[in-house]
Amino acid sequence: IYNVKQAAKILGLSTNTTYKYLNEGRIKAARGHIRGTFIITTKSLEDFLGSKLPEDPFVDEADSYRVSSSSIK
């Protein structure tokens, strides 16, 4: 489970863009109890990326998971 800042880092997006995609439903997530927070699962990130995340997504290889402009709908 990830917060917005962590998900943004994994996806190679800004937190603002990540919030935008969450609000638009492009990235699926549950709302947290605190206003404006999201609970983002590994599956949600993998569904968005279309591929599996590495065991430790915060290792340098996560850079290969950056979202390219051509994969954004």
Side-chain angles (χ1 to χ4, degrees):
I1 295 177
Y2 302 99
N3 62 32
V4 173
K5 187 175 181 180
Q6 293 167 324
K9 181 175 176 140
I10 291 167
L11 298 174
L13 301 171
S14 71
T15 53
N16 286 344
T17 300
T18 304
Y19 273 112
K20 177 183 174 192
Y21 289 175
L22 287 161
N23 287 321
E24 292 174 349
R26 293 187 197 188
I27 301 171
K28 305 294 183 210
R31 287 285 188 166
H33 295 294
I34 300 170
R35 184 175 173 259
T37 62
F38 288 92
I39 300 167
I40 307 163
T41 64
T42 300
K43 181 174 179 352
S44 291
L45 296 181
E46 290 174 343
D47 288 348
F48 179 77
L49 290 171
S51 62
K52 290 269 190 197
L53 292 180
E55 290 274 328
D56 183 356
F58 294 106
V59 175
D60 288 337
E61 73 181 279
D63 288 338
S64 66
Y65 287 85
R66 290 189 186 278
V67 177
S68 67
S69 59
S70 63
S71 66
I72 299 172
K73 297 174 187 168

